[in-house]
């Protein structure tokens, strides 16, 4: 038993530390960028002209319809053949942003469409441009309604960030795999990794719940 | 000279407005004009195109044909600049359409800040002043969901007034309200009318129409069937159809 603690405290945790940091960096970059992309795509689909809305729809079909792993492989292994090179970390972030953006956009689009048309009409009647009406009237309400769906996607993102290892970005899961095979301690290593993901997810869930509470509109719901 | 002056007095002129939805012609050539300080009340059965007409005036619905002038400038001519005209035409909707995520005060402020580009402090003072006018300064920090229907509608009147409109358009402002809340909203609108605001009001409230209107316009099937000053209109309508409508509406809504 002592040996087990020794392994975890002195070998496993220190060597997972770096990987955890990489995972956190991947996640912290991808969450806001994915959300911003999701908002843009959703607005493009609902309010864009024919061309923009079609482009946005095609985007969503592609990124929701193909495995993330395939997207990552194309980014990291495929694009160099046409002269575009990304580092492993960059490929992972770009892949996560593009994929989560597609999912976020669906939650946000649904939320935008659930806002009564009278809101847009009232904003325009005040003399707001379409853009201002979307920015100050529609999105603040739609994004609140999209929080539960987007939270779900953010939590998925934390977990699928482990796919970064497939494009040689050594994050938490990757670091674990290296250690596990060196010491042949798969159970211990992946149990600990599981717990670390669970902790990250719990912290983010808590934060998102606080955000939802804070943004709640008094008198509604 | 006299003629000129009269022309300058005209705040809003609507000329031969047509609007189709698909095959159905909702408006079949509506024309009227309204002078500064006048209140015109539009009545008529539902489906007669009253709401569509109001929305055509501020171009929330683009008419197929016809022209609209606001204070001598043609609205229908400056499509790109429509937001400049909309600011000057306050609109009050049947179902309020307050911005649900903003407090009463911020509902009034937002147009001042985002459209008129007032700074925060100035906008706040002006918004508070408008809320006072409709008797809601104590509800300033409440959200729409915390207000009664009558209060919501008064906030939406304040929101429109804050923009200093040249004309106010009311689209059945009391139709979504519980009967006991109608009075407070009508009071607020009456106060405006007597204060010299120029207004077009679509309503089924005949008692109200009688007391504030300079002219009653009766619409049916996308046309103005008849119009006149309230006394003459109510006591001696020209058409049998108008009489029937008035009888029916009096039965339903009372005087």
């Amino acid at each position: 038993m002592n040996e087990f603690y020794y392994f975890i405290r002195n070998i496993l945790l220190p060597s997972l530390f770096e990987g955890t940091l990489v995972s956190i960096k991947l996640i912290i970059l991808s969450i806001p960028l994915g959300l911003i992309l999701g908002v843009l795509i959703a607005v493009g689909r609902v309010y864009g002209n024919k061309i923009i809305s079609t482009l946005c729809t095609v985007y969503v079909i592609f990124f929701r319809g193909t495995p993330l792993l395939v997207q990552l492989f194309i980014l990291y292994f495929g694009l160099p053949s046409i002269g575009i090179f990304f580092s492993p970390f960059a490929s992972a972030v770009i892949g996560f942003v593009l994929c989560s953006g597609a999912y976020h956009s669906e939650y946000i689009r649904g939320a935008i469409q659930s806002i009564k048309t009278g809101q847009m009409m009232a904003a325009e009647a005040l003399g707001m441009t379409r853009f201002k009406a979307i920015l100050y009237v529609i999105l603040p309400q739609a994004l609140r309604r999209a929080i539960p769906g987007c939270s779900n996607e953010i939590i998925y993102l934390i977990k699928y960030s482990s796919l970064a290892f497939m494009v040689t970005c050594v994050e938490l899961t990757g670091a674990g795999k290296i250690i596990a095979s060196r010491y042949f301690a798969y159970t211990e290593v992946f149990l600990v990794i599981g717990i670390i993901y669970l902790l990250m997810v719990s912290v983010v869930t808590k934060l998102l719940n606080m955000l939802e509470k804070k943004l709640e509109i008094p008198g509604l719901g | 000279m006299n003629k000129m002056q009269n022309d300058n007095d005209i705040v809003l002129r609507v000329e031969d407005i047509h609007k189709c939805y698909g095959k159905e012609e909702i408006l079949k050539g509506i024309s009227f004009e309204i002078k500064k300080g006048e209140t015109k009340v539009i009545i008529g059965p539902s489906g007669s195109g009253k709401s569509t007409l109001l929305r055509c005036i501020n171009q929330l619905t683009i008419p197929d044909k016809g022209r609209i002038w606001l204070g001598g400038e043609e609205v229908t001519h400056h499509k790109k600049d429509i937001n400049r005209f909309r600011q000057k035409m306050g609109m009050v909707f049947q179902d309020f359409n307050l911005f649900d995520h903003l407090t009463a005060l911020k509902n009034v402020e937002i147009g001042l800040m985002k459209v008129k580009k007032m700074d925060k402090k100035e906008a706040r003072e002006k918004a508070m002043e408008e809320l006072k006018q409709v008797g809601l300064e104590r509800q300033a920090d409440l959200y729409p969901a915390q207000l009664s229907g009558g209060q919501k509608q008064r906030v939406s009147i304040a929101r429109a007034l804050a923009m200093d409109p040249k004309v106010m358009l009311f689209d059945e402002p009391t139709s979504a309200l519980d009967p006991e809340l109608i009075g407070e909203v009508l009071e607020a609108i009456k106060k405006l009318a007597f204060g010299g605001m120029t207004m077009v009001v679509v309503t089924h409230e005949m008692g109200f129409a009688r007391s504030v209107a300079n002219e009653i316009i009766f619409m049916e099937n996308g046309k103005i069937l008849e119009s006149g000053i309230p006394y003459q209109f109510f006591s001696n309508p020209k058409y049998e159809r108008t009489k029937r409508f008035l009888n029916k509406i009096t039965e339903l809504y009372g005087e």
Side-chain angles (χ1 to χ4, degrees):
Chain A
M1 208 56 190
N2 268 341
E3 214 175 308
F4 177 70
Y5 282 126
Y6 178 83
F7 173 69
I8 293 206
R9 218 176 52 211
N10 293 24
I11 298 172
L12 185 57
L13 288 181
S15 42
L16 288 183
F17 182 72
E18 279 291 309
T20 308
L21 277 187
V22 174
S23 283
I24 289 174
K25 270 192 239 165
L26 281 171
I27 293 162
I28 284 184
L29 266 173
S30 303
I31 288 175
L33 293 176
L35 270 172
I36 292 168
L37 182 65
V39 171
L40 294 177
I41 297 291
V43 169
R45 280 188 82 177
V46 179
Y47 297 107
N49 60 26
K50 194 123 200 167
I51 299 168
I52 291 177
S53 113
T54 309
L55 283 177
C56 292
T57 306
V58 169
Y59 168 84
V60 172
I61 289 173
F62 181 79
F63 283 93
R64 283 205 318 163
T66 56
L68 174 57
L69 194 53
V70 172
Q71 295 161 20
L72 290 174
F73 281 167
I74 292 175
L75 277 165
Y76 186 66
F77 298 113
L79 291 186
S81 68
I82 55 167
I84 302 172
F85 296 88
F86 292 118
S87 69
F89 183 83
S91 311
V93 170
I94 294 170
F96 297 158
V97 168
L98 292 176
C99 176
S100 69
Y103 281 94
H104 282 311
S105 81
E106 281 297 89
Y107 295 120
I108 296 165
R109 183 174 67 104
I112 288 176
Q113 283 168 338
S114 77
I115 306 290
K116 279 187 287 167
T117 52
Q119 297 283 309
M120 177 58 93
M121 240 186 334
E124 292 192 317
L126 280 178
M128 284 193 203
T129 58
R130 226 346 120 92
F131 179 76
K132 281 185 186 171
I134 293 170
L135 193 62
Y136 299 121
V137 174
I138 304 298
L139 282 181
Q141 298 182 58
L143 290 179
R144 281 178 167 92
R145 289 189 195 179
I147 291 177
C150 291
S151 298
N152 215 17
E153 178 55 27
I154 287 170
I155 284 161
Y156 268 125
L157 169 65
I158 294 174
K159 292 178 292 170
Y160 65 60
S161 71
S162 60
L163 287 178
F165 184 50
M166 303 304 286
V167 289
T168 75
C169 173
V170 183
E171 40 61 75
L172 179 56
T173 309
K177 190 151 181 290
I178 293 166
I179 295 271
S181 50
R182 186 182 301 155
Y183 291 88
F184 206 72
Y186 289 94
T187 313
E188 297 87 332
V189 170
F190 286 110
L191 211 60
V192 168
I193 287 178
I195 291 169
I196 296 175
Y197 278 110
L198 190 60
L199 281 175
M200 291 198 283
V201 167
S202 307
V203 169
V204 172
T205 305
K206 180 83 193 150
L207 288 175
L208 288 168
N209 285 344
M210 282 162 59
L211 182 73
E212 194 177 350
K213 267 262 141 40
K214 188 173 149 50
L215 292 179
E216 213 170 57
I217 298 167
L220 283 183
Chain B
M1 184 63 206
N2 212 357
K3 168 93 175 67
M4 277 274 294
Q5 195 139 26
N6 276 342
D7 272 1
N8 287 340
D9 272 357
I10 291 170
V11 174
L12 180 73
R13 178 187 292 158
V14 174
E15 192 183 287
D16 197 30
I17 294 295
H18 287 258
K19 180 70 192 174
C20 290
Y21 283 120
K23 277 200 178 134
E24 203 177 346
E25 199 173 13
I26 303 290
L27 297 176
K28 302 172 182 164
I30 302 284
S31 304
F32 67 88
E33 54 188 39
I34 174 163
K35 292 201 190 102
K36 194 164 168 31
E38 277 187 332
T39 298
K40 301 232 164 171
V41 170
I42 301 177
I43 62 172
S46 52
S48 57
K50 304 173 307 262
S51 296
T52 309
L53 173 63
L54 281 194
R55 281 172 201 175
C56 280
I57 291 176
N58 68 356
Q59 307 279 294
L60 285 178
T61 297
I62 308 291
D64 299 330
K65 198 179 146 219
R67 302 165 81 179
I68 288 154
W69 283 269
L70 182 71
E73 277 187 284
E74 189 175 346
V75 176
T76 33
H77 204 228
H78 301 79
K79 287 221 172 76
K80 288 224 170 88
D81 219 5
I82 183 61
N83 293 314
R84 188 164 60 85
F85 290 105
R86 282 184 183 148
Q87 289 177 48
K88 297 181 200 159
M89 299 190 261
M91 190 161 207
V92 173
F93 299 88
Q94 182 176 338
D95 39 11
F96 332 124
N97 292 337
L98 287 182
F99 304 132
D100 290 329
H101 62 303
L102 300 176
T103 61
L105 185 66
K106 289 200 165 139
N107 261 280
V108 184
E109 261 176 28
I110 191 168
L112 297 173
M113 286 171 58
K114 304 304 179 192
V115 179
K116 290 207 154 183
K117 314 250 186 251
M118 267 188 201
D119 66 55
K120 179 107 195 148
K121 189 168 166 284
E122 203 184 347
R124 173 140 300 192
E125 278 165 15
K126 169 106 172 135
M128 208 60 200
E129 192 50 45
E130 296 297 344
L131 282 180
K132 247 182 223 151
Q133 289 296 318
V134 293
L136 287 174
E137 69 270 33
R138 282 175 46 220
Q139 281 77 13
D141 291 323
L142 294 184
Y143 285 80
Q146 299 169 310
L147 298 171
S148 73
Q151 292 172 332
K152 279 188 226 183
Q153 195 58 301
R154 284 186 283 151
V155 173
S156 97
I157 292 171
R159 175 174 70 177
L161 285 176
M163 304 297 283
D164 291 325
K166 285 189 170 167
V167 59
M168 286 284 287
L169 311 170
F170 289 89
D171 187 5
E172 299 198 29
T174 58
S175 296
L177 294 176
D178 290 339
E180 68 267 31
L181 300 178
I182 290 176
E184 60 187 79
V185 173
L186 292 184
E187 269 324 302
I189 303 174
K190 266 188 206 168
K191 200 170 129 192
L192 271 183
F194 297 137
M197 176 57 77
T198 313
M199 315 202 286
V200 182
V201 185
V202 171
T203 185
H204 292 302
E205 298 292 332
M206 293 304 138
F208 165 78
R210 197 184 297 233
S211 68
V212 300
N214 297 91
E215 188 183 40
I216 311 270
I217 294 173
F218 179 68
M219 268 179 78
E220 192 186 43
N221 288 328
K223 278 187 172 150
I224 294 179
L225 188 65
E226 71 171 288
S227 61
I229 56 168
Y231 175 73
Q232 166 215 335
F233 185 88
F234 285 110
S235 60
N236 194 15
K238 270 183 259 171
Y239 293 96
E240 192 52 36
R241 175 68 187 100
T242 317
K243 248 178 237 168
R244 278 209 315 274
F245 177 78
L246 288 176
N247 285 337
K248 185 137 241 167
I249 208 96
T250 322
E251 249 173 57
L252 282 173
Y253 290 85
E255 276 296 297

